[in-house]
Amino acid sequence: AQTVTQSQPEMSVQEAETVTLSCTYDTSESDYYLFWYKQPPSRQMILVIRQEAYKQQNATENRFSVNFQKAAKSFSLKISDSQLGDAAMYFCAYRSNSGGSNYKLTFGKGTLLTVNP
Amino acid sequence: EAGVTQSPTHLIKTRGQQATLRCSPISGHTSVYWYQQALGLGLQFLLWYDEGEERNRGNFPPRFSGRQFPNYSSELNVNALELEDSALYLCASSLGGWVTEAFFGQGTRLTVV
């Protein structure tokens, strides 16, 4: 079974600074997706960024980028120019792409990000 | 376009009672996923429905059950409620199981007293 570990329960960053959230995962599969989701106080999970395991290039979405190290099974999220609206719980998630009944997300326990003005 | 909607927003039940939670997916989405988010435990996968069929089930007891209706909306039923069932229950929908992007609703906060 796949597992996702987020070793930082809480992180804080100053507005306009850069912060990196860590995520490691364990799997024996070679075809999968990794995600970062954001959950603000409104509770709604919002997809931040997605990475396909077969793509060597790290995904980027505006101020959000990832460092995907497949051999090390590491998937960190970098937030540049942090804004007050980035404050939220961030979840790392894994999804198999092997088909069948495996289309479910496995989440880490989350990292609570605080942005200080 | 309406997003994933869940009802009720909050639900308070007594231990031993039954709870029914509802989810309406985005129009055109056939897959519905249910997750439990208990304090300190992250999100745990509960159930996946696609085209009216249960496709996968997480490691939860049988008193957690559900169904998907012909219009692809879904119901999650929790029988014989226990205090540990208190959690935020999130529903997500996608165009199909193979589609990577799932959209989440705002959840139902279930409190068991």
Side-chain angles (χ1 to χ4, degrees), chain A residues 33-93:
Chain A
Y33 286 87
L34 295 164
F35 306 83
W36 279 97
Y37 278 89
K38 167 185 176 181
Q39 187 180 39
S42 67
R43 308 183 322 199
Q44 185 153 22
M45 298 282 283
I46 301 164
L47 178 63
V48 174
I49 201 164
R50 160 182 38 205
Q51 175 80 42
E52 186 175 356
Y54 273 111
K55 290 189 176 177
Q56 292 187 340
Q57 188 173 6
N58 289 325
T60 301
E61 288 287 342
N62 300 313
R63 298 182 295 107
F64 299 87
S65 61
V66 298
N67 183 5
F68 174 47
Q69 302 289 328
K70 191 171 183 179
K73 295 180 182 174
S74 169
F75 183 61
S76 61
L77 174 69
K78 186 171 84 171
I79 307 174
S80 303
D81 186 26
S82 297
Q83 300 175 1
L84 295 176
D86 294 334
M89 183 72 88
Y90 286 81
F91 291 95
C92 178

Side-chain angles (χ1 to χ4, degrees), chain B residues 21-37:
Chain B
L21 288 63
R22 296 180 176 84
C23 173
S24 293
I26 291 172
S27 177
H29 286 194
T30 64
S31 271
V32 170
Y33 305 80
W34 287 96
Y35 292 87
Q36 182 196 65
Q37 186 177 12

Side-chain angles (χ1 to χ4, degrees), chain B residues 14-62:
Chain B
T14 303
R15 206 168 131 193
Q17 284 188 315
Q18 178 195 31
T20 298
L21 288 63
R22 296 180 176 84
C23 173
S24 293
I26 291 172
S27 177
H29 286 194
T30 64
S31 271
V32 170
Y33 305 80
W34 287 96
Y35 292 87
Q36 182 196 65
Q37 186 177 12
L39 198 61
L41 293 180
L43 282 85
Q44 305 291 319
F45 168 71
L46 263 166
L47 290 159
W48 169 34
Y49 292 97
D50 184 57
E51 298 280 0
E53 300 286 330
E54 182 180 302
R55 303 295 185 185
N56 200 355
R57 182 184 178 84
N59 189 24
F60 281 83

